[in-house]
mmCIF file of all heavy atoms in Angstrom:
data_model
loop_
_atom_site.group_PDB
_atom_site.id
_atom_site.type_symbol
_atom_site.label_atom_id
_atom_site.label_comp_id
_atom_site.label_asym_id
_atom_site.label_seq_id
_atom_site.Cartn_x
_atom_site.Cartn_y
_atom_site.Cartn_z
ATOM 1 N N ALA A 225 5.159 35.683 -23.043
ATOM 2 C CA ALA A 225 6.012 34.554 -22.703
ATOM 3 C C ALA A 225 7.047 34.908 -21.640
ATOM 4 O O ALA A 225 7.365 36.078 -21.414
ATOM 5 C CB ALA A 225 6.728 34.048 -23.960
ATOM 6 N N ALA A 226 7.575 33.874 -20.993
ATOM 7 C CA ALA A 226 8.720 34.035 -20.102
ATOM 8 C C ALA A 226 9.984 34.141 -20.944
ATOM 9 O O ALA A 226 9.991 33.769 -22.126
ATOM 10 C CB ALA A 226 8.814 32.846 -19.152
ATOM 11 N N VAL A 227 11.060 34.627 -20.340
ATOM 12 C CA VAL A 227 12.333 34.776 -21.050
ATOM 13 C C VAL A 227 13.370 33.824 -20.460
ATOM 14 O O VAL A 227 13.488 33.700 -19.238
ATOM 15 C CB VAL A 227 12.851 36.223 -20.966
ATOM 16 C CG1 VAL A 227 14.252 36.334 -21.571
ATOM 17 C CG2 VAL A 227 11.897 37.167 -21.686
ATOM 18 N N GLY A 228 14.098 33.152 -21.350
ATOM 19 C CA GLY A 228 15.178 32.272 -20.948
ATOM 20 C C GLY A 228 16.433 32.619 -21.716
ATOM 21 O O GLY A 228 16.448 33.528 -22.554
ATOM 22 N N ALA A 229 17.497 31.886 -21.429
ATOM 23 C CA ALA A 229 18.777 32.146 -22.095
ATOM 24 C C ALA A 229 19.635 30.895 -22.065
ATOM 25 O O ALA A 229 19.456 30.016 -21.211
ATOM 26 C CB ALA A 229 19.503 33.303 -21.413
ATOM 27 N N SER A 230 20.559 30.823 -23.003
ATOM 28 C CA SER A 230 21.530 29.734 -22.995
ATOM 29 C C SER A 230 22.639 30.070 -22.011
ATOM 30 O O SER A 230 22.795 31.214 -21.569
ATOM 31 C CB SER A 230 22.126 29.544 -24.394
ATOM 32 O OG SER A 230 22.930 30.674 -24.729
ATOM 33 N N ARG A 231 23.436 29.082 -21.670
ATOM 34 C CA ARG A 231 24.538 29.326 -20.743
ATOM 35 C C ARG A 231 25.535 30.310 -21.347
ATOM 36 O O ARG A 231 26.113 31.135 -20.638
ATOM 37 C CB ARG A 231 25.254 28.019 -20.390
ATOM 38 C CG ARG A 231 26.451 28.238 -19.486
ATOM 39 C CD ARG A 231 27.040 26.962 -18.951
ATOM 40 N NE ARG A 231 28.193 27.246 -18.110
ATOM 41 C CZ ARG A 231 28.825 26.347 -17.378
ATOM 42 N NH1 ARG A 231 28.407 25.088 -17.385
ATOM 43 N NH2 ARG A 231 29.862 26.683 -16.636
ATOM 44 N N ALA A 232 25.725 30.235 -22.655
ATOM 45 C CA ALA A 232 26.670 31.144 -23.309
ATOM 46 C C ALA A 232 26.241 32.591 -23.118
ATOM 47 O O ALA A 232 27.072 33.476 -22.862
ATOM 48 C CB ALA A 232 26.766 30.810 -24.799
ATOM 49 N N ALA A 233 24.940 32.848 -23.212
ATOM 50 C CA ALA A 233 24.436 34.212 -23.032
ATOM 51 C C ALA A 233 24.591 34.662 -21.585
ATOM 52 O O ALA A 233 24.906 35.829 -21.308
ATOM 53 C CB ALA A 233 22.971 34.282 -23.452
ATOM 54 N N VAL A 234 24.368 33.742 -20.652
ATOM 55 C CA VAL A 234 24.528 34.069 -19.229
ATOM 56 C C VAL A 234 25.993 34.326 -18.903
ATOM 57 O O VAL A 234 26.347 35.302 -18.235
ATOM 58 C CB VAL A 234 23.957 32.938 -18.354
ATOM 59 C CG1 VAL A 234 24.320 33.161 -16.882
ATOM 60 C CG2 VAL A 234 22.442 32.853 -18.513
ATOM 61 N N ASP A 235 26.873 33.437 -19.380
ATOM 62 C CA ASP A 235 28.306 33.599 -19.119
ATOM 63 C C ASP A 235 28.853 34.887 -19.711
ATOM 64 O O ASP A 235 29.791 35.489 -19.173
ATOM 65 C CB ASP A 235 29.087 32.406 -19.675
ATOM 66 C CG ASP A 235 28.886 31.141 -18.853
ATOM 67 O OD1 ASP A 235 28.332 31.252 -17.734
ATOM 68 O OD2 ASP A 235 29.279 30.056 -19.317
ATOM 69 N N ALA A 236 28.256 35.329 -20.816
ATOM 70 C CA ALA A 236 28.704 36.560 -21.458
ATOM 71 C C ALA A 236 28.166 37.804 -20.751
ATOM 72 O O ALA A 236 28.542 38.932 -21.092
ATOM 73 C CB ALA A 236 28.270 36.573 -22.925
ATOM 74 N N GLY A 237 27.266 37.597 -19.769
ATOM 75 C CA GLY A 237 26.738 38.719 -19.002
ATOM 76 C C GLY A 237 25.547 39.409 -19.636
ATOM 77 O O GLY A 237 25.173 40.506 -19.212
ATOM 78 N N TYR A 238 24.926 38.774 -20.629
ATOM 79 C CA TYR A 238 23.775 39.401 -21.282
ATOM 80 C C TYR A 238 22.568 39.471 -20.340
ATOM 81 O O TYR A 238 21.822 40.448 -20.352
ATOM 82 C CB TYR A 238 23.355 38.625 -22.533
ATOM 83 C CG TYR A 238 24.411 38.501 -23.618
ATOM 84 C CD1 TYR A 238 24.219 37.625 -24.692
ATOM 85 C CD2 TYR A 238 25.581 39.251 -23.595
ATOM 86 C CE1 TYR A 238 25.163 37.492 -25.693
ATOM 87 C CE2 TYR A 238 26.532 39.123 -24.589
ATOM 88 C CZ TYR A 238 26.327 38.236 -25.637
ATOM 89 O OH TYR A 238 27.262 38.098 -26.626
ATOM 90 N N VAL A 239 22.375 38.406 -19.556
ATOM 91 C CA VAL A 239 21.227 38.302 -18.644
ATOM 92 C C VAL A 239 21.675 37.601 -17.365
ATOM 93 O O VAL A 239 22.706 36.918 -17.348
ATOM 94 C CB VAL A 239 20.061 37.507 -19.282
ATOM 95 C CG1 VAL A 239 19.415 38.278 -20.413
ATOM 96 C CG2 VAL A 239 20.549 36.145 -19.775
ATOM 97 N N PRO A 240 20.907 37.733 -16.271
ATOM 98 C CA PRO A 240 21.275 37.052 -15.021
ATOM 99 C C PRO A 240 21.096 35.548 -15.110
ATOM 100 O O PRO A 240 20.343 35.040 -15.956
ATOM 101 C CB PRO A 240 20.321 37.676 -14.000
ATOM 102 C CG PRO A 240 19.169 38.189 -14.797
ATOM 103 C CD PRO A 240 19.743 38.619 -16.111
ATOM 104 N N ASN A 241 21.773 34.823 -14.219
ATOM 105 C CA ASN A 241 21.791 33.363 -14.338
ATOM 106 C C ASN A 241 20.473 32.692 -13.996
ATOM 107 O O ASN A 241 20.279 31.516 -14.307
ATOM 108 C CB ASN A 241 22.922 32.748 -13.496
ATOM 109 C CG ASN A 241 22.812 33.077 -12.023
ATOM 110 O OD1 ASN A 241 21.792 33.588 -11.574
ATOM 111 N ND2 ASN A 241 23.849 32.777 -11.276
ATOM 112 N N GLU A 242 19.518 33.416 -13.358
ATOM 113 C CA GLU A 242 18.235 32.764 -13.093
ATOM 114 C C GLU A 242 17.433 32.513 -14.364
ATOM 115 O O GLU A 242 16.435 31.818 -14.345
ATOM 116 C CB GLU A 242 17.394 33.568 -12.100
ATOM 117 C CG GLU A 242 17.017 34.955 -12.559
ATOM 118 C CD GLU A 242 17.861 36.029 -11.879
ATOM 119 O OE1 GLU A 242 19.020 35.731 -11.541
ATOM 120 O OE2 GLU A 242 17.350 37.145 -11.692
ATOM 121 N N LEU A 243 17.902 33.055 -15.495
ATOM 122 C CA LEU A 243 17.220 32.821 -16.766
ATOM 123 C C LEU A 243 17.825 31.661 -17.550
ATOM 124 O O LEU A 243 17.336 31.311 -18.622
ATOM 125 C CB LEU A 243 17.263 34.086 -17.638
ATOM 126 C CG LEU A 243 16.587 35.344 -17.086
ATOM 127 C CD1 LEU A 243 16.596 36.458 -18.129
ATOM 128 C CD2 LEU A 243 15.163 35.053 -16.634
ATOM 129 N N GLN A 244 18.859 31.054 -17.009
ATOM 130 C CA GLN A 244 19.557 30.009 -17.761
ATOM 131 C C GLN A 244 18.723 28.737 -17.882
ATOM 132 O O GLN A 244 18.175 28.228 -16.912
ATOM 133 C CB GLN A 244 20.888 29.674 -17.097
ATOM 134 C CG GLN A 244 21.723 28.655 -17.889
ATOM 135 C CD GLN A 244 23.076 28.428 -17.254
ATOM 136 O OE1 GLN A 244 23.683 29.354 -16.717
ATOM 137 N NE2 GLN A 244 23.561 27.191 -17.298
ATOM 138 N N VAL A 245 18.659 28.220 -19.104
ATOM 139 C CA VAL A 245 17.948 26.983 -19.408
ATOM 140 C C VAL A 245 18.966 25.936 -19.836
ATOM 141 O O VAL A 245 19.859 26.215 -20.629
ATOM 142 C CB VAL A 245 16.918 27.199 -20.539
ATOM 143 C CG1 VAL A 245 16.288 25.873 -20.961
ATOM 144 C CG2 VAL A 245 15.852 28.193 -20.106
ATOM 145 N N GLY A 246 18.842 24.733 -19.298
ATOM 146 C CA GLY A 246 19.757 23.676 -19.706
ATOM 147 C C GLY A 246 20.195 22.809 -18.549
ATOM 148 O O GLY A 246 19.667 22.893 -17.441
#
Side-chain angles (χ1 to χ4, degrees):
V227 174
S230 68
R231 177 171 179 172
V234 171
D235 287 348
Y238 300 169
V239 290
N241 59 11
E242 62 256 30
L243 299 186
Q244 184 176 324
V245 174

